[in-house]
Every structure is written in structure tokens, then in C-alpha cells.
Amino acid sequence: MPESGQKATRGHITETTPVVTAARRTGLLVTLVLGGLTALPPLSMDMYLPALPEVTGALRAPAATVQLTLTACLAGMALGQLVVGPMSDKWGRRRPLLAGMAVYVLATAVCALAPSAELLIGFRLLQGLAGAAGIVIARAVVRDLYDGVEMARFFSTLMLISGVAPIIAPLIGGQILRLTDWRGVFHVLTAIGVLLTLVVWRFLHETLPPERRHEGGVGQALRTMRGLLADRVFTGYMLTGGLAFAALFAYISASPFVVQEIYGASPQTFSLLFGLNSIGLVAVGQINGKLLVGRVSLDKALGSGLGVILLAAVALTLMTSGVLGEVGLAPIAAGLFVLMSAMGLAMPNTNAQALMRTPHAAGSASALLGTSSFLIGAVASPLVGIAGEHTAVPMAVVQLGCAVLALACFLGLCRPWRTTEDRTGGPA
């Protein structure tokens, strides 16, 4: 092997520096650390959900304003990815990650003390910006340490962890509300942030040696992303995934009010229903990955998922608008469960199809997919509260609109009926 510590493997270069080798030997520890970083954003979003109705009363703010605290955090996570990713390529992984975690802890602590909805919105934005460091750098560290099948397996583990986090987060939030008020949720998140920061500082070593860093920066990343957007099919998958995520986030934003305020469920009941829906999403995602992939084309699985989402959104719109008469919580919960579960077919397959078109710029493509999903979701969030907190119709209508647009982008831009050969080869 050359002195530089590189070895050629089938057309690309894989680093095997002593730092990378040592980090691989601590595989379980690295898995736990990166899993914690991956789980932190969904914990930050979903642990807070059962407290949303309480926040409206405590801060004397309308539901639409309080829902902006979710939008702000999501927008911060979206924009932060565009900045932190290039920073980590330039300065290494540890420094930007530790800086982001420190800012996350500070912002979360201030959220716990916020006297007004406006201040809470501002620091939730900062919390999201800082939390994006964990999302981007966790993936970058995996790319530094692993390749090929090993990398795919590691990403599958991280995806499972990020899928379990939304299940337990509202359950934890509901239990916290039994002991204290909504500010206690942010106290717990602050403690988690401090613990993760200490673990990262102590156990996660630098995985990007100085000789592998570059000066590309944000400008180069944006130029690469502009080239990716010129690919019609890639853009189609990106928009399809982003709109599906927006339908999901419409549920996340509105369900605390729909389930608790309109249908009278307790925070604990809401947490259980939210966890059940998350289990459905994870279970269908695992079925997709272990049973369907390789047997059914990704486009067929994706199209089926989008079709089920559309049917569930139509049913929810009919039920919430009164067309089907007076309905209770059970039919609404069933419709939401079907819609959430179908996301396990739609979201992974849009990402897979998009990334398979961009082997030359997988990192930039991944950041673009994540950022666009967060931004589209952030736009959808305030719309669900536009008619107040005593009707579920806006939630269902937003979900229906997102489902229709997602299917239109899939059919109009991706054109799945065309052969793979017709759709490869870059921008169309």
C-alpha cells in the first residue's frame, strides 16, 4: 500500500489512515455515538409535540403561532445542512460538530426559559440550525469510515435508530408532562444535548485527516447542487419526496391539536397513537427494504406508496369535513395510521432513486434532498392551523394537496413508465 495510506478499490480511492482504522475498531461505540446524533433531531421535534396545546395557553398565543415553533426548528435543520456540510469538509468533523452541539445546548436551554412565543420561535430556529450539525456530520463520518456493503449496513442501522426515535419521543414527552410543564421537555433535551456533547468530545475522534480536506466551501457545494437540479428526473424524485414529507409533517404539526383538543384525548393517549403510527412507518419501511427491494421495482413500490397516501388523505378529508357524518377518534386515527405507514414505501424509495442518479455528487445530492424536504415541510406546517385549532379540515386538505402534487411530480417529471436506459445519462 502506498505511503499516503490510500488503496485503490475498483475505480475509487478508499482511505485507510491509522485514525480511520482505529475508529473502525470501536465500531459499537461509534454506532452508539452516531445513533445518538441521528436521533437528536427527531427527539427535538417530537418530544415537544404533546406539549403544544399547553404552550398555546401558557404563552397566550394562537395555535398557528405556536406551530411556527415546529416550522422554525425544521427550517433551521434544513438551512443548517447547507452550511455545516461544507464546513466539515474544510475543517474536519470534530470542530464543527462540537461547535454545533454547544450552540444546540445553549439554544435549548433558552427555549426552556422563553417568556413569549416569539422568543421561543427564534431559539427553536437556532436549535434547528445547530442540530443540523449532527445530521450532516453523522453521515459524513460514516462515509469516512466505511465503504460499499459496510456503509450500506451502517446507514441502515442509523435509519432504524432515527425511525425508533419518533416512536419514543412523544411517549417520553407525555410522561414528562405528567411530572412538570412544557418547559420540562426542554430541560430534558438540554440534558441530552450536554450528555451527547461530552460523549462526542471524549469518544468520537477526527475521521477526516488534513490531507483529505478541501477548500470547496459553500460556493462549490451550491454550484454542484445547481447542476443536480438541471436533471429533470432527479428534481422529480426530490420534489416527490419533499411533498410526501410535507404530508407527514402536516400530521406532525396538527395531530396534537386534532387528537387532544378536537377529539379530547389525553397527552398520554396522543403519545401512544403517535408511537403506533411511527411503528407502522418503520415496519413498512423494513418490509420495503427486506422483502420488496430486489423483487419489485423501486418505482412500483414508490407509486404504490403514493397511491395509498392519496387514498388515505381523501378519506381523512371526507371524514373531517363532515361529508361522512359525525366520526370519532378511531376512524381518524385509522386514516392517519394508513397514511403514515405508506410513507415507509414513499420516502426511502424517492431517496434511493434520486441518489442512484448522482454517484458523482452523492454528498451534495443528499444535502439537497434533506434540505428541500425540510423546507417544503416547513411551508406546510403553518397551513394546518390556518383555520384555528378546533377543526381538522386544514390538516386533511394540506395532506391531500401534498399527495396530489407528489403524485403529479412523480408521473410528470420522473416518468416511471420509461425504461431505465431512457432515463439515465444526466439532465434531460
Side-chain angles (χ1 to χ4, degrees), residues 319-354:
M319 287 189 289
T320 57
S321 61
V323 172
L324 301 180
E326 194 74 24
V327 297
L329 176 60
I332 298 294
L336 291 172
F337 176 80
V338 172
L339 185 144
M340 281 281 286
S341 298
M343 295 290 175
L345 288 176
M347 296 175 64
N349 290 321
T350 54
N351 288 334
Q353 289 287 66

Side-chain angles (χ1 to χ4, degrees), residues 15 23 54 66 83 87 98 117 134 143 149 181 280 311 348 371 413:
E15 295 287 350
E54 182 181 328
V66 173
V83 177
M87 286 175 58
L98 287 171
R143 289 197 300 270
V149 174
D181 61 5
L311 291 176
T371 298
L413 296 177

Side-chain angles (χ1 to χ4, degrees), residues 156-176:
S156 297
T157 302
L158 293 186
M159 288 179 64
L160 181 60
I161 293 173
S162 63
V164 171
I167 299 174
I168 65 172
L171 297 175
I172 296 172
Q175 296 306 311
I176 292 173

Side-chain angles (χ1 to χ4, degrees), residues 113-132:
L113 305 174
S116 67
E118 291 75 18
L119 189 62
L120 182 60
I121 290 170
F123 277 91
R124 284 284 279 176
L125 175 63
L126 183 59
Q127 184 190 44
L129 287 168

Side-chain angles (χ1 to χ4, degrees), residues 138-160:
R139 293 172 182 165
V141 169
V142 176
R143 289 197 300 270
D144 293 341
L145 298 180
Y146 300 99
D147 195 13
V149 174
E150 287 183 321
M151 183 176 67
R153 288 173 178 166
F154 204 104
F155 273 128
S156 297
T157 302
L158 293 186
M159 288 179 64
L160 181 60

Side-chain angles (χ1 to χ4, degrees), residues 353-378:
Q353 289 287 66
L355 289 173
M356 280 197 293
R357 294 185 64 83
T358 58
H360 59 289
S364 295
S366 178
L368 192 56
L369 290 168
T371 298
S372 61
S373 293
F374 281 139
L375 287 178
I376 297 173

Side-chain angles (χ1 to χ4, degrees), residues 169-184:
L171 297 175
I172 296 172
Q175 296 306 311
I176 292 173
L177 292 178
R178 299 183 68 173
L179 303 175
T180 182
D181 61 5
W182 66 272
R183 298 181 188 275

